Amino acid sequence: MSVLRVPAGTRLSLAAGEWASHLGLPGATPLEVRTVAVQGVADPPAPVGMLWVRGHLPECSGPGACARSWCVRVAVRLDVLYDAVAGGPDQAVVHPPVPDR
């Protein structure tokens, strides 16, 4: 199993089809999200090949302006998350499975 670490504050510029709504419906428009957290395990689970991302929209003035520490939750494709953090050193950390002994 791999672990993907997406730092808080990572800016995601999502195209239509790269994300799904909190109801799991495919996103039909571009969306900008500044991450707060990425959930590997959640209930309900994210659609296959995606992870839930909690974050803020660009027009949001920050955590103090929202009822929670985040104002939007969307499912984002894994390849998009990897691409978002691949440019910076030590931002995407992938741990290979530990072999059984």
Side-chain angles (χ1 to χ4, degrees), residues 7-44:
T10 300
R11 184 173 158 238
L12 301 175
S13 296
L14 306 170
E18 292 181 337
W19 63 279
S21 74
H22 67 286
L23 299 174
L25 301 172
T29 62
L31 181 69
E32 296 279 331
V33 177
R34 192 175 66 253
T35 63
V36 170
V38 174
Q39 292 180 277
V41 178
D43 186 26

Side-chain angles (χ1 to χ4, degrees), residues 43-87:
D43 186 26
V48 174
M50 300 178 127
L51 290 176
W52 288 118
V53 172
R54 291 180 176 177
H56 293 284
L57 301 173
E59 60 270 16
C60 178
S61 58
C66 301
R68 299 177 216 134
S69 62
W70 50 276
C71 62
V72 65
R73 182 178 86 154
V74 293
V76 178
R77 286 189 354 214
L78 286 169
D79 63 317
V80 173
L81 291 172
Y82 273 106
D83 289 347
V85 297

